[in-house]
Amino acid sequence: MPAMQQIGAILFALALLHTFSAKTFERLSHRFPRHAGLLHLLGEVEVVFGFWAMVLLVVMAFVAGPQNAIAYAETQQYTEPLFVFVVMVVAASRPVLDFVQRLVDLLSGGRPVLQAWLGLALVPLAGSLITEPAAMTLAALMLAPQIFRNGVPEWQKYAALGVLFVNISIGGTLTAYAAPPVLMVAATWQWDSAFMAANFGWKATLAVLVNASAVTWLLREPLRKGADSDAAAPAARARTPLGTSLIHLAFLAAVVLLAHHPVLFLGLFLFFLGFTSAYPQHQSPLILKEALLVGFFLAGLVVLGSMQQWWLQPIVEGLQPLALFFGALGLTAITDNAALTYLGSLIDGISPQAQYMLVAGAVAGGGLTVIANAPNPAGIALLRKGFRDESIGALGLLAGALAPTAVAALAFFL
């Protein structure tokens, strides 16, 4: 369907433009209160790609026929959006967060600067075990009251957000299953976790530590002032019993192990919902709305992104290894990095050097925009309330991510 491919590319470009102007819609919602509901909806970053995916399917129904539109929608792979939805809800449950907070308190001795550093360094690296979406959820919820709050300058919040997104993107490369762009090529190129640790993991770890240390030093004063104000706050709620936390962690581990089997992890999720209902005294409200919006965003990206292969693959195929690294890094800003590496896996005879450069560029650029890496929409959904107008600007994120992206790129050249 050549005509539909061109229409798909146009709608994809409009979705990108909409993503970069989402903050404008939020401002307009305050200016025009009569239409505030609609403008606020269009200003939700998580809604953008789902909205334009529906536009694509409606246009396809008129151009190619309703049956072709339905067939196209039904033949797409939605495992990743479903997994991100489930893992976000489970990882953000109160017993899991309490367990992680206990661990962070133990390692940090209660010092706020060290707590923030662990949230920006240790948790992203733990993404190699618990997957990147789970790590993003945990890190965002841990860091929100420390950094993404009133009293912290906006530019410092964007600096911290850029570091968090970049560190999550590269922190999952110590294994072969946790980072979506690695997962797309691991089986085809026969990359196992030992290969990832030897070729990517130690470099990613170095970059994560440098990025986290730099931005924590930058934020040292707001972190200390925040700790002083917290000292006068009312006592925190009672923590969850350890046994309940361990059961939730078992649910999380099972979901991660079943990440490629949506029927099984969705069935397990229903058991999880039943368990949380059975012990409401140990629970906080589950983040179902936020997780559903993120799943909607990623599903829309799947529907729209599948239409872009016709122009993306020739670009990837035509680049030499060094150009491929910078090309992948740049293209990641306008498309999902897992989609880029998947296209690379389709190229016959791609050299080992080119394979490395493609994946390294894709993960290094994973923090530049909200669509660059699958877990990013989760971070946006959980942290946007801490920003002005409760909206995260695309240009602010890009500016905040430039320095940590450069550090990651340099590390992968070592």
Side-chain angles (χ1 to χ4, degrees):
M1 296 183 290
M4 277 311 307
Q5 289 180 340
Q6 295 175 2
I7 292 172
I10 292 171
L11 293 178
F12 185 76
L14 289 173
L16 287 175
L17 183 62
H18 187 168
T19 301
F20 278 89
S21 58
K23 201 171 181 71
T24 302
F25 284 97
E26 288 289 345
R27 291 174 181 148
L28 290 174
S29 69
H30 299 294
R31 186 175 178 183
F32 301 101
R34 184 178 177 182
H35 304 289
L38 176 61
L39 291 169
H40 179 72
L41 179 66
L42 293 174
E44 300 270 10
V45 172
E46 299 91 336
V47 171
V48 171
F49 274 81
F51 169 78
W52 286 102
M54 290 194 296
V55 173
L56 173 67
L57 293 176
V58 171
V59 172
M60 188 180 293
F62 281 101
V63 174
Q67 292 303 318
N68 284 326
I70 293 171
Y72 174 77
E74 290 183 340
T75 53
Q76 301 308 306
Q77 178 58 257
Y78 300 105
T79 299
E80 184 177 57
L82 290 170
F83 171 74
V84 171
F85 162 69
V86 171
V87 84
M88 272 190 70
V89 175
V90 178
S93 62
R94 177 177 157 190
V96 172
L97 289 173
D98 280 351
F99 180 86
V100 174
Q101 193 62 54
R102 282 172 172 161
L103 180 61
V104 169
D105 289 345
L106 179 65
L107 294 174
S108 67
R111 289 169 287 184
V113 174
L114 188 51
Q115 287 177 334
W117 184 85
L118 289 169
L120 290 163
L122 180 63
V123 177
L125 290 173
S128 287
L129 297 176
I130 63 174
T131 74
E132 289 183 353
M136 177 68 84
T137 303
L138 289 170
L141 291 171
M142 285 174 54
L143 295 169
Q146 287 189 291
I147 298 173
F148 304 98
R149 57 174 175 81
N150 293 332
V152 178
E154 202 79 356
W155 70 272
Q156 292 187 350
K157 295 178 190 176
Y158 277 111
L161 187 69
V163 166
L164 175 62
F165 280 16
V166 172
N167 281 3
I168 290 288
S169 181
I170 62 177
T173 60
L174 280 73
T175 60
Y177 68 87
V182 175
L183 185 61
M184 289 295 182
V185 302
T188 304
W189 294 344
Q190 298 180 335
W191 287 6
D192 57 15
S193 293
F195 174 89
M196 290 304 303
N199 291 276
F200 287 87
W202 68 273
K203 301 173 186 178
T205 300
L206 179 62
V208 164
L209 296 179
V210 170
N211 286 337
S213 299
V215 81
T216 303
W217 181 85
L218 180 70
L219 288 160
R220 65 195 184 281
E221 290 304 322
L223 287 169
R224 289 168 182 158
K225 289 179 181 177
D228 293 339
S229 63
D230 289 343
R237 69 187 180 206
R239 284 192 169 174
T240 309
L242 183 59
T244 304
S245 291
L246 293 176
I247 291 173
H248 276 240
L249 289 169
F251 273 114
L252 178 60
V255 168
V256 170
L257 290 173
L258 297 172
H260 307 300
H261 306 282
V263 173
L264 296 178
F265 70 65
L266 284 171
L268 188 66
F269 181 62
L270 295 179
F271 279 107
F272 170 79
L273 293 178
F275 182 80
T276 60
S277 299
Y279 296 94
Q281 69 272 27
H282 302 316
Q283 307 293 335
S284 295
L286 299 175
I287 59 166
L288 293 171
K289 175 188 173 183
E290 294 85 348
L292 279 171
L293 282 173
V294 171
F296 183 58
F297 178 97
L298 294 174
L301 187 56
V302 167
V303 172
L304 276 172
S306 297
M307 278 280 184
Q308 314 311 315
Q309 183 175 348
W310 67 275
W311 64 269
L312 271 175
Q313 188 164 348
I315 295 176
V316 174
E317 289 178 336
L319 295 175
Q320 296 300 314
L322 184 59
L324 187 58
F325 175 85
F326 290 103
L329 194 151
L331 286 170
T332 292
I334 61 170
T335 189
D336 179 56
N337 56 9
L340 271 184
T341 59
Y342 170 71
L343 293 176
S345 72
L346 301 178
I347 301 173
D348 292 329
I350 183 171
S351 69
Q353 184 184 11
Q355 292 173 356
Y356 173 85
M357 289 295 191
L358 173 64
V359 175
V363 297
L368 293 171
T369 62
V370 63
I371 68 170
N373 194 35
N376 291 359
I380 295 289
L382 297 172
L383 294 174
R384 66 182 177 195
K385 290 184 178 179
F387 287 80
R388 190 178 299 121
D389 297 325
E390 295 189 2
S391 178
I392 294 175
L395 293 178
L397 171 58
L398 180 64
L402 287 177
T405 298
V407 172
L410 182 61
F412 284 127
F413 273 109
L414 293 177

